[in-house]
Amino acid sequence: MVAETHLTVNDLVLTAIVSDAGPDRVDIPSLPGVQRLSVNALVEEARRAADLGIPAMAIFPNISENEKSEDAAEAANPKGLVPQAVRAIKDAVPEIGVIVDVALDPYTSHGHDGLMEGDIILNDPTVEMLARVGVMLADAGADIVAPSDMMDGRIEAVRQGLDDAGHTDISILSYAAKFASGFYGPYRDAIGTKTALKGDKRTYQMNPANIDVALREVELDLAEGADMVMVKPGMPYLDVISAIKAEFARPTFAFQVSGEYAMMKAAGQNGWLDYDRIMMESLMSFKRAGCDGILTYAAIEVAERLKESH
């Protein structure tokens, strides 16, 4: 009755990996309890999530190696895996919101979030490509597009592209403060970019030491047209989340990334920690810091636990 912070199913966004190869469900060893899903299996998870009251899901692709290229052409294919998945979900489970990642790294042969010339990331050509991808995903039925690349100017370009295409009602969730983190490893396994990645992403993702820069990035993205902003990873950056919410009072999300989820899951499986307890505690910490929504691989199991507690 006197608790200051409450976690509800409305705070959860299900994170899901869709694949275009193999069986309907394939376990990901570095993400215990998480599977790569076929489009059919993804629709099943969407139905399960919606039935539990989860308001939205975020989709990330694992595509075949032969579809990856230097120019990430498959990212803009209107008949590709993600638009196919979006259409299938919206046809079968229209009540759940669909958030789509606008990024090139699942589609590049080098594993980076941008187009490259030698070892250099090309900001402006990447931004132009991202705007095309955002419009294509909106055409497929996505409710929210989420640029995650951290290129300069991409929010303005995506917003302009959406508006020009008549998608004025499509929201943008910007990965506004995405840090160059060691917590992404299992995700890169899940989407198949870990072994392909050449070098690292420190030239465009943020230095974990900086909070003032994070505030500036958020300010710029909001000015360019972002409707919501996200901090990634989550728990190591609670101070950043809190500062953003206090400064801007705009919808603020956190991504409980693969490494955060995996280390808690592994500690629970080994009997070192009580997984159920620490998962709920970690999600509560996001709410306490000011989050309006949390992307997590644990959304369905947490929603089930919340339902049982009531």
Side-chain angles (χ1 to χ4, degrees):
M1 184 173 65
V2 297
E4 299 173 19
T5 306
H6 297 274
L7 179 72
T8 76
V9 69
N10 293 324
D11 301 313
L12 304 175
V13 176
L14 173 63
T15 304
I17 309 293
V18 63
S19 176
D20 61 358
D24 279 347
R25 296 176 181 270
V26 178
D27 291 337
I28 303 167
S30 58
L31 273 173
V34 178
Q35 298 171 316
R36 296 189 190 100
L37 305 171
S38 69
V39 171
N40 287 339
L42 183 70
V43 171
E44 292 173 4
E45 290 298 285
R47 168 51 60 200
R48 192 175 165 202
D51 288 346
L52 286 165
I54 295 171
M57 65 188 303
I59 303 170
F60 301 87
N62 173 284
I63 70 164
S64 303
E65 289 298 319
N66 60 9
E67 294 178 321
K68 298 180 181 183
S69 61
E70 290 283 328
D71 63 359
E74 182 63 19
N77 179 5
K79 297 181 180 180
L81 176 62
V82 174
Q84 178 187 348
V86 171
R87 286 190 290 268
I89 292 169
K90 297 309 289 186
D91 285 345
V93 196
E95 65 270 32
I96 198 166
V98 175
I99 302 171
V100 286
D101 200 44
V102 182
L104 303 186
D105 55 322
Y107 304 94
T108 56
S109 52
H110 46 69
H112 278 283
D113 298 61
L115 303 177
M116 299 185 74
E117 187 174 278
D119 294 331
I120 304 298
I121 300 290
L122 302 176
N123 188 93
D124 292 356
T126 298
V127 167
E128 182 180 344
M129 179 71 160
L130 292 169
R132 288 172 51 207
V133 173
V135 171
M136 181 271 292
L137 293 170
D139 288 342
D143 300 292
I144 299 171
V145 297
S148 66
D149 54 286
M150 290 297 287
M151 300 295 135
D152 294 334
R154 89 271 202 220
I155 300 301
E156 182 177 11
V158 171
R159 181 73 272 164
Q160 188 64 55
L162 291 171
D163 291 351
D164 289 347
H167 293 302
T168 55
D169 56 344
I170 300 299
S171 297
I172 296 178
L173 168 59
S174 169
Y175 288 65
K178 183 177 180 180
F179 291 86
S181 171
F183 282 93
Y184 302 143
Y187 169 74
R188 290 174 183 162
D189 284 339
I191 67 166
T193 64
K194 190 170 186 178
T195 56
L197 183 62
K198 301 172 183 177
D200 59 45
K201 303 189 177 186
R202 296 179 192 178
T203 60
Y204 49 96
Q205 293 180 357
M206 287 186 53
N207 186 337
N210 296 341
I211 188 170
D212 288 344
V213 176
L215 293 172
R216 178 62 175 155
E217 292 282 3
V218 169
E219 182 181 28
L220 288 169
D221 284 0
L222 290 172
E224 289 180 13
D227 302 285
M228 300 160 273
V229 295
M230 182 145 65
V231 177
K232 181 182 180 182
M235 202 155 60
Y237 299 93
L238 294 177
D239 58 329
V240 179
I241 295 167
S242 181
I244 289 170
K245 190 65 176 180
E247 180 73 18
F248 300 105
R250 297 287 287 274
T252 304
F253 286 65
F255 200 139
Q256 185 184 61
V257 299
S258 60
E260 297 175 68
Y261 169 85
M263 68 182 182
M264 287 190 282
K265 199 74 170 182
Q269 290 178 338
N270 282 286
W272 300 332
L273 294 171
D274 182 334
Y275 168 76
D276 290 345
R277 182 173 179 179
I278 62 172
M279 174 55 72
M280 300 302 283
E281 186 176 345
S282 70
L283 296 177
M284 188 67 74
S285 75
F286 292 129
K287 282 299 299 289
R288 193 182 64 247
C291 277
D292 301 286
I294 308 156
L295 279 70
T296 175
Y297 297 91
I300 284 180
E301 59 187 273
V302 170
E304 289 173 338
R305 203 168 304 131
L306 289 170
K307 185 177 181 179
E308 289 170 2
S309 68
H310 289 85

